[in-house]
Amino acid sequence: MENKIRCAWCEKDDLYRDYHDNEWGNPVYDDDKLFEFLVLETFQAGLSWHTILKKRENFRNAFEQFSYKKIAEYNEDKIQELLLNEGIIRNKLKVRGTVSNAIAFIEVQKEFGSFSKYIWGFTNGKPIDNNPQSLKEVPATSEISDSLSKDLKKRGFKFVGSTVVYAHMQATGMMNDHVADCWKKAF
């Protein structure tokens, strides 16, 4: 593992390397996992991904294992409890947005049968390989993330600008942005 060539962004520490090697860019079709990444990516807006990864277990515990069905039912008391939780990012708009997103997530499931079917429809059900040679060639947004962001907002999702959506697409393998010499490029 130590001699592997990786995308340069993940070489900060073992937490980052482990995330890169075992999760980032792996196609995710499971609604529970897609929602987890949606929560984490929306909280990441304006912060570093490393900060979110360090707090991931705290988020998991605070948000009941990322159960969108439970989160959709959160009341004001639960929201206030979360805002006092020092283990997570205590941004009231993001906490409230997570509740809104859980409700919208369930509505998408009702309409499409699964959130996975909906979101992967934007890439025709397959990962898109951008074939970047270096990190400089990895975009922050794309036409697809622009369209998906617009559609998510129309459906009531919060904190889903094109950059957040693109990061979600990278994390869940919809966009393969592993650089050319990264060992994960070949998977």
Side-chain angles (χ1 to χ4, degrees), residues 67-133:
S67 171
Y68 49 87
K69 291 176 184 171
K70 291 179 182 177
I71 295 168
E73 296 178 358
Y74 282 3
N75 60 24
E76 190 59 30
D77 289 342
K78 181 62 177 178
I79 290 169
Q80 291 305 315
E81 175 188 317
L82 288 166
L83 292 174
L84 295 174
N85 186 332
E86 295 180 6
I88 65 170
I89 307 301
R90 296 177 294 167
N91 177 306
K92 82 175 148 188
L93 295 177
K94 291 179 180 182
V95 169
R96 291 183 189 283
T98 299
V99 177
S100 296
N101 288 353
I103 293 166
F105 191 90
I106 292 168
E107 290 304 311
V108 167
Q109 285 180 318
K110 288 177 186 173
E111 183 177 344
F112 290 88
S114 72
F115 187 81
S116 178
K117 186 175 179 182
Y118 160 75
I119 199 167
W120 278 93
F122 283 82
T123 64
N124 295 316
K126 294 183 262 181
I128 294 173
D129 194 339
N130 287 321
N131 294 308
Q133 296 302 301

Side-chain angles (χ1 to χ4, degrees), residues 4-8 132-134 178-185:
K4 290 181 180 175
I5 296 173
R6 297 176 177 89
C7 299
Q133 296 302 301
S134 70
H178 287 284
V179 296
D181 60 353
C182 176
W183 76 272
K184 290 274 299 223
K185 186 66 175 178

Side-chain angles (χ1 to χ4, degrees), residues 158-177:
K158 310 288 186 211
F159 291 94
V160 288
S162 189
T163 302
V164 169
V165 168
Y166 193 82
H168 184 269
M169 294 173 78
Q170 289 174 308
T172 60
M174 294 175 70
M175 294 291 179
N176 182 355
D177 281 335

Side-chain angles (χ1 to χ4, degrees), residues 1 12 55 82 133 165 187:
M1 177 138 67
K12 180 175 185 152
K55 293 179 176 279
L82 288 166
Q133 296 302 301
V165 168
F187 81 92

Side-chain angles (χ1 to χ4, degrees), residues 117-158:
K117 186 175 179 182
Y118 160 75
I119 199 167
W120 278 93
F122 283 82
T123 64
N124 295 316
K126 294 183 262 181
I128 294 173
D129 194 339
N130 287 321
N131 294 308
Q133 296 302 301
S134 70
L135 286 180
K136 288 184 262 180
E137 293 180 16
V138 176
T141 63
S142 70
E143 286 183 26
I144 295 172
S145 68
D146 292 347
S147 297
L148 179 52
S149 170
K150 185 176 178 182
D151 196 68
L152 287 165
K153 288 176 184 177
K154 186 174 77 178
R155 294 174 182 280
F157 286 84
K158 310 288 186 211

